């Protein structure tokens, strides 16, 4: 039995939703998939898994510092297994910024991380204004105004291309 671990680092839940789809795509009769938050993953032994995928969201232009701590502490074990990493951010809604080669957050991740993932992905996220507290709503609205995104704070805007997510998951399943 092949054992796969999918770890997510999320602020508002979209990265977890993407990871749940990845779990479904990767779970077969021959493959057992464990889905864990970054916090939960700290209690797991990577040695117990054959493959590892990590997905992480961006908030205010950065991945969470705990993500880098985890990855840098485990980069040797991660590198020894079939692995993948993807980032989720609203900048990726723009066609010129939705690939690992063109997304500024993926480029920054690769600069800061000791781990060099074998499979890379970039997915557009979601803006859910009604869910945000005042400060986040105001800041995200300002960022969207600057980048010509949606600014109506009564709306929810999902930019995730679920077909692209599924294809990434299938490619990882074939590793």
């Amino acid at each position: 039995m092949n054992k796969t671990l999918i770890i997510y680092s999320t602020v508002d839940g979209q990265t977890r939703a993407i990871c749940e789809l990845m779990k479904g795509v990767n779970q077969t009769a021959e493959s057992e998939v464990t889905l864990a938050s970054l916090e939960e993953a700290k209690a797991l032994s990577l040695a117990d898994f054959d493959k590892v995928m990590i997905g992480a969201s961006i908030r205010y232009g950065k991945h969470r510092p705990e993500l880098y701590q985890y990855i840098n502490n485990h980069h040797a074990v991660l590198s020894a297994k079939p692995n993948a990493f993807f980032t989720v951010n609203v900048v990726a809604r723009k066609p010129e910024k939705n690939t690992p080669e063109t997304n500024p957050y993926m480029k920054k991740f690769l600069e800061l991380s000791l781990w060099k993932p074998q499979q890379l992905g970039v997915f557009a996220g979601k803006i859910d204004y009604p869910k945000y507290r005042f400060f986040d709503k105001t800041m995200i609205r300002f960022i969207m105004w600057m980048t010509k995104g949606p600014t109506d704070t009564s709306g929810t805007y999902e930019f995730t291309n679920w077909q692209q997510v599924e294809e990434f998951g299938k490619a990882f399943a074939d590793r």
Side-chain angles (χ1 to χ4, degrees):
M1 167 90 56
N2 180 14
K3 292 180 77 177
T4 299
L5 175 62
I6 300 176
I7 301 171
Y8 62 90
S9 171
T10 191
V11 177
D12 296 314
Q14 188 71 356
T15 303
R16 180 187 171 122
I18 289 169
C19 286
E20 286 170 352
L21 180 81
M22 298 285 189
K23 178 180 179 181
V25 169
N26 279 267
Q27 199 158 314
T28 65
E30 304 86 35
S31 184
E32 176 186 317
V33 181
T34 300
L35 180 64
S37 69
L38 183 60
E39 292 74 25
E40 294 165 338
K42 292 174 186 175
L44 301 174
S45 171
L46 290 179
D48 294 341
F49 297 92
D50 303 303
K51 298 163 58 171
V52 181
M53 175 190 293
I54 299 176
S57 65
I58 293 291
R59 179 54 68 93
Y60 303 131
K62 297 181 180 178
H63 289 106
R64 293 170 51 205
E66 300 91 332
L67 174 74
Y68 291 107
Q69 291 167 356
Y70 182 85
I71 286 172
N72 289 341
N73 287 339
H74 299 285
H75 71 93
V77 178
L78 288 168
S79 297
K81 303 173 181 290
N83 64 71
F85 174 78
F86 65 87
T87 184
V88 179
N89 54 81
V90 178
V91 167
R93 74 187 189 282
K94 297 181 175 190
E96 68 276 11
K97 295 185 179 180
N98 69 359
T99 68
E101 298 77 26
T102 61
N103 186 268
Y105 303 119
M106 179 61 82
K107 289 180 184 181
K108 190 69 168 178
F109 171 82
L110 293 171
E111 285 174 22
L112 297 175
S113 173
L114 296 176
W115 176 43
K116 301 304 174 218
Q118 298 161 353
Q119 181 182 346
L120 297 172
V122 174
F123 305 118
K126 175 180 175 180
I127 295 174
D128 191 354
Y129 284 115
K131 236 172 95 173
Y132 303 146
R133 293 180 304 208
F134 177 77
F135 178 78
D136 287 332
K137 187 180 292 193
T138 303
M139 291 300 294
I140 292 168
R141 183 173 188 252
F142 178 68
I143 292 166
M144 287 297 101
W145 177 77
M146 287 178 46
T147 62
K148 300 185 181 3
T151 57
D152 177 359
T153 59
S154 66
T156 298
Y157 308 91
E158 184 159 343
F159 302 104
T160 306
N161 178 333
W162 291 100
Q163 181 179 346
Q164 180 188 16
V165 171
E166 190 169 341
E167 288 169 5
F168 185 88
K170 286 178 182 173
F172 183 69
D174 292 341
R175 292 190 155 276

